[in-house]
Amino acid sequence: LEDGAKRLQKRFRELLGQQPVPARLHFATAWQTLDAGGLDALDLWLAGHPDARLVVVDTFKRVRPKELKGASFYAQDYDSLAPLADLAKRYSVCIVVVHHTRKGEAEDPLDLISGTTGLTAAGDGAIVLKRTRGEADATLAIIHRNAEDAELAVKWDSLTAGWVLVGEAEAYRRSEERNAILRALHDASDPPTPKELAE
């Protein structure tokens, strides 16, 4: 919902080349907020497309209901997302809601999601992409009610214009550290001291 038709067309060309856009792929570049007919419109669309299995809302801010005066931030966050979770259950469809993260660090990936924990409480799970600006590598934290948490390493592939899974994040980080040590040993004219190697 943040892109126009022209940018989507360019993106399809990057991803598909000369192949046609899949017939079952539907997209919209504008949608009403959930409280102003958007939820009803999505309900109607899902009823008319019983084969649908995935709905992506990009980004949540574009369809988020207006804030209610006097309600707590937690309640507003929860109540703004809960109707989509209910719709997903009713139609047995996955609804992925793209939402921004906040700046800064956090031990718990869920704390990186902009807003209160009401957002994560309303959904069944969260996937948090954490990347340093300008870096091609990132981590993908996956938290779900009905599955074990996971943290994966991903790398941006400019050829496919998408993220590629490179393995478990911890193992990947360890490999990067080992590679850095090997490079430092290789590049040193004299053997480095343990302190120099650690730095």
Side-chain angles (χ1 to χ4, degrees), residues 60-82:
F60 184 50
K61 179 68 176 160
R62 292 290 178 136
V63 298
R64 187 177 180 139
K66 290 180 181 166
E67 292 183 5
L68 300 173
K69 291 182 180 178
S72 74
F73 291 127
Y74 177 93
Q76 287 193 58
D77 279 348
Y78 187 92
D79 293 344
S80 67
L81 197 57

Side-chain angles (χ1 to χ4, degrees), residues 174-192 196-198:
R174 196 169 43 242
S175 298
E176 286 295 301
E177 289 168 2
R178 286 181 182 151
N179 288 336
I181 290 169
L182 290 172
R183 279 193 302 273
L185 287 170
H186 181 268
D187 296 343
S189 53
D190 295 322
E196 290 170 337
L197 202 52

Side-chain angles (χ1 to χ4, degrees), residues 19-178:
Q19 296 177 49
V21 174
R24 289 182 56 194
L25 176 66
H26 300 257
F27 60 90
T29 55
W31 203 265
Q32 296 168 306
T33 59
L34 298 177
D35 59 337
L39 186 67
D40 293 335
L42 184 55
D43 191 341
L44 191 63
W45 186 89
L46 285 167
H49 295 83
D51 293 339
R53 290 293 161 258
L54 173 67
V55 173
V56 179
V57 178
D58 185 9
T59 67
F60 184 50
K61 179 68 176 160
R62 292 290 178 136
V63 298
R64 187 177 180 139
K66 290 180 181 166
E67 292 183 5
L68 300 173
K69 291 182 180 178
S72 74
F73 291 127
Y74 177 93
Q76 287 193 58
D77 279 348
Y78 187 92
D79 293 344
S80 67
L81 197 57
L84 286 175
D86 295 342
L87 208 58
K89 288 178 185 89
R90 189 161 15 134
Y91 286 100
S92 297
V93 65
C94 178
I95 299 180
V96 174
V97 178
V98 179
H99 188 59
H100 294 287
T101 55
R102 63 175 124 228
K103 291 179 171 60
E105 293 293 321
E107 197 169 307
D108 185 343
L110 294 180
D111 291 336
L112 293 171
I113 297 172
S114 183
T116 71
T117 55
L119 288 173
T120 53
D124 286 335
I127 300 173
V128 180
L129 180 71
K130 185 178 173 190
R131 170 178 82 94
T132 304
R133 189 178 294 278
E135 294 285 322
D137 299 347
T139 58
L140 200 62
I142 303 168
I143 300 100
H144 197 277
R145 282 188 189 153
N146 304 320
E148 205 171 300
D149 293 353
E151 187 181 23
L152 306 172
V154 292
K155 190 177 204 72
W156 181 256
D157 183 349
S158 56
L159 186 65
T160 61
W163 294 99
V164 177
L165 178 65
V166 293
E168 296 279 331
E170 189 176 329
Y172 183 72
R173 277 193 295 265
R174 196 169 43 242
S175 298
E176 286 295 301
E177 289 168 2
R178 286 181 182 151

